[in-house]
């Protein structure tokens, strides 16, 4: 499973199309520019970023056809070790969290994501979004206990498909691969996240 979170409003994506709720206030912090010493963090065998071995490696995912109202047909590299992952191949129950180490609200909601990951009830995936400092991203994920697999989207490749205004954003993917729901903006409590998992994926954490 995979987990996604982004700053902004909430959107429900049904099989017949997306139904958008009223947009919320963006909790996005200003993004710093890349430092002169920043690197992509990626190598042929995974990540060259120090500390990336503390994160779970990205799994090899069986190729599947894209589904209607599913994740975009985009491949992203792994922040830790492991192969690139094609998002259209992913199936749930999965929670995808979109985040960045420079995003203050992402830090606020991190404990709730870590607690859900520890429950083992759903598969989780993170996407480090529009982030020029992979070494700080690895440190953030490790420090906050977000040790599930994470992908890297420095070029905002998923922005259009998922209507990402900025991190955090959390997407809930059902077993068929359909995006059951997208929560835009910061998660405010563990209870809220658990209730979304129950309501959108039918799983009680």
């Amino acid at each position: 499973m995979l987990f996604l979170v982004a700053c902004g409003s909430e959107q429900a994506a049904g099989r017949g199309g997306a139904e958008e709720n009223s947009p919320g206030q963006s909790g996005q912090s200003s993004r710093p520019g890349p430092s002169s010493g920043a690197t992509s963090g990626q190598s042929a065998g995974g990540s060259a970023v120090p500390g990336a071995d503390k994160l779970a490696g990205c799994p090899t995912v069986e190729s599947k056809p894209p589904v209607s109202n599913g994740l975009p047909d985009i491949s992203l590299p792994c922040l830790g070790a492991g192969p690139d992952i094609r998002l259209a191949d992913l199936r749930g129950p999965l929670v995808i969290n979109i985040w960045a180490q420079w995003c203050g609200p992402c830090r606020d909601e991190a404990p709730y994501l870590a607690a859900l990951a520890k429950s083992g009830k759903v598969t989780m995936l993170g996407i480090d979004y529009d982030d020029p400092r992979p070494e700080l991203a690895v440190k953030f994920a490790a420090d906050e206990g977000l040790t599930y697999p994470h992908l890297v989207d420095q070029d905002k490749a998923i922005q259009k498909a998922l209507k990402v205004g900025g991190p955090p954003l959390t997407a809930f993917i059902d077993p068929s691969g359909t995006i059951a729901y997208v929560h835009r903006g910061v998660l405010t409590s563990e209870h809220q996240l658990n209730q979304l998992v129950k309501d959108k994926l039918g799983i009680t954490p």
Side-chain angles (χ1 to χ4, degrees):
M1 299 177 182
L2 300 180
F3 207 108
L4 181 102
V5 179
C7 300
S9 60
E10 294 184 15
Q11 175 184 14
R15 295 178 184 277
E19 177 182 345
E20 182 140 355
N21 298 330
S22 321
Q25 296 297 322
S26 173
Q28 181 176 349
S29 306
S30 60
R31 182 180 68 85
S35 70
S36 59
T39 64
S40 68
Q42 301 302 317
S43 67
S47 174
V49 180
D53 56 340
K54 297 178 182 178
L55 305 178
C58 294
T60 299
V61 181
E62 180 183 353
S63 180
K64 300 179 183 69
V67 299
S68 178
N69 298 319
L71 292 166
D73 194 357
I74 293 170
S75 294
L76 295 174
C78 191
L79 181 61
D84 293 3
I85 287 183
R86 178 175 172 252
L87 299 184
D89 291 337
L90 298 174
R91 299 293 183 268
L94 169 70
V95 176
I96 298 177
N97 178 251
I98 296 176
W99 60 278
Q101 54 80 22
W102 48 262
C103 165
C106 298
R107 294 180 181 275
D108 294 339
E109 69 180 10
Y112 317 137
L113 298 170
L116 179 62
K118 287 180 181 177
S119 76
K121 294 297 183 69
V122 294
T123 298
M124 296 181 65
L125 178 71
I127 299 180
D128 181 31
Y129 182 80
D130 189 22
D131 195 339
R133 298 292 299 276
E135 74 281 8
L136 294 183
V138 167
K139 184 178 186 303
F140 168 75
D143 288 351
E144 297 294 340
L146 307 178
T147 54
Y148 44 85
H150 296 270
L151 305 178
V152 177
D153 186 7
Q154 288 188 347
D155 298 325
K156 301 190 285 189
I158 62 172
Q159 182 179 40
K160 183 177 180 180
L162 292 177
K163 299 179 181 177
V164 181
L169 177 149
T170 305
F172 301 81
I173 314 302
D174 73 15
S176 72
T178 296
I179 302 172
Y181 190 74
V182 174
H183 176 85
R184 304 181 188 281
V186 64
L187 296 160
T188 57
S189 69
E190 185 176 345
H191 173 76
Q192 180 193 28
L193 176 56
N194 289 345
Q195 192 65 48
L196 285 170
V197 172
K198 181 179 181 180
D199 292 346
K200 308 306 177 183
L201 299 179
I203 294 173
T204 301

